């Protein structure tokens, strides 16, 4: 992960901005891909879902997120006429809103700084009820403590049930989400991240 120097030069700033853009594009590409069955990526860190979760504020099933209530149309997950999520990206919005609500003390808002101390990409697997089955770090930051924070925010969240049209043959849904951490330790998810500052 690139680190912020004390006095960055313009050429260095352009290089770091290009690297960050590449990281974002890489994360977006990972979201659209699933690992072939039987060949999961090697975990960097894993917290089994069977362990007790840290204290949190899980959302009630069917409850509207406080962010969703006042959210723009881009933040609200879209559904079809039958109430199914249109695709995995729309389910990720619903899951992201639940993660924000369950971790309100850690969730950030607004424009992210140009340089970030950690970007953590997680593989997530849930069952038909939204119960977390597996979570692992696909790609972590140099600050490995943020890997554990991202996993913990996921584990303390009661995720929404995915609609049947998204489930695989085993009745499960696998997806990828990215946590962006700022220098205050707050995170934002890729599903809702606004453009970054150029400064």
């Amino acid at each position: 992960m690139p680190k912020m120097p004390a006095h960055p030069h313009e050429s260095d700033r352009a290089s770091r901005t290009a690297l960050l853009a590449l990281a974002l594009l890489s994360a977006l590409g990972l979201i659209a891909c699933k690992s072939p069955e039987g060949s999961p990526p090697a975990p960097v860190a894993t917290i089994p879902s069977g362990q007790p979760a840290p204290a949190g504020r899980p959302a009630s099933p069917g409850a509207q997120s406080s962010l969703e209530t006042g959210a723009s149309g881009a933040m609200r997950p879209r559904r079809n006429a039958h109430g199914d999520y249109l695709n995995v990206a729309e389910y990720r919005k619903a899951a992201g809103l639940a993660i924000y609500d369950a971790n309100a003390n850690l969730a950030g808002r607004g424009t992210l700084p140009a340089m970030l101390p950690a970007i953590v990409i997680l593989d997530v697997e849930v069952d038909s009820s939204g119960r977390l089955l597996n979570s692992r770090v696909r790609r972590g930051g140099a600050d490995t403590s943020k890997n554990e924070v991202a996993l913990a925010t996921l584990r303390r969240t009661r995720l929404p049930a995915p609609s049947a049209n998204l489930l695989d043959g085993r009745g499960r849904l696998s997806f990828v989400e990215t946590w962006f951490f700022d220098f205050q330790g707050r995170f934002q998810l890729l599903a809702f991240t606004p453009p970054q500052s150029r400064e």
Side-chain angles (χ1 to χ4, degrees):
M1 274 301 138
K3 294 183 179 179
M4 180 184 289
H7 301 287
H9 296 291
E10 289 300 325
S11 60
D12 293 338
R13 183 179 299 168
S15 298
R16 288 195 303 275
T17 302
L19 285 172
L20 187 55
L22 184 61
L24 288 170
L25 288 172
S26 172
L28 285 168
L30 289 171
I31 288 166
C33 302
K34 287 185 182 177
S35 301
E37 198 155 333
S39 58
V44 177
T46 302
I47 298 180
S49 57
Q51 293 182 4
R57 189 165 53 84
S60 304
Q64 255 195 328
S65 160
S66 59
L67 281 176
E68 186 178 3
T69 303
S72 68
M75 287 183 71
R76 294 192 190 98
R78 294 178 300 159
R79 299 173 182 257
N80 62 23
H82 304 290
D84 298 330
Y85 294 108
L86 293 182
N87 49 44
V88 175
E90 297 306 315
Y91 175 79
R92 281 180 54 241
K93 290 181 183 179
L97 290 169
I99 292 168
Y100 279 178
D101 265 3
N103 300 276
N105 60 321
L106 293 175
R109 302 282 184 92
T111 302
L112 287 166
M115 293 292 103
L116 298 169
I119 298 175
V120 180
I121 302 174
L122 300 187
D123 286 315
V124 184
E125 184 179 48
V126 298
D127 67 11
S128 59
S129 69
R131 182 171 62 94
L132 183 63
L133 299 176
N134 293 295
S135 58
R136 63 166 58 90
V137 177
R138 178 181 286 223
R139 184 174 300 169
D143 181 356
T144 56
S145 67
K146 294 299 186 289
N147 300 347
E148 302 301 329
V149 172
L151 286 162
T153 60
L154 180 65
R155 289 186 56 250
R156 70 169 57 101
T157 303
R158 184 177 298 164
L159 296 169
S163 43
N165 61 313
L166 303 180
L167 302 176
D168 63 17
R170 301 174 301 160
R172 300 179 176 189
L173 171 64
S174 298
F175 63 98
V176 178
E177 188 53 270
T178 303
W179 276 247
F180 297 100
F181 287 92
D182 64 21
F183 287 95
Q184 286 70 50
R186 295 184 178 274
F187 74 89
Q188 292 188 45
L189 299 176
L190 181 60
F192 308 117
T193 303
Q196 285 179 274
S197 168
R198 295 178 180 271
E199 296 301 323

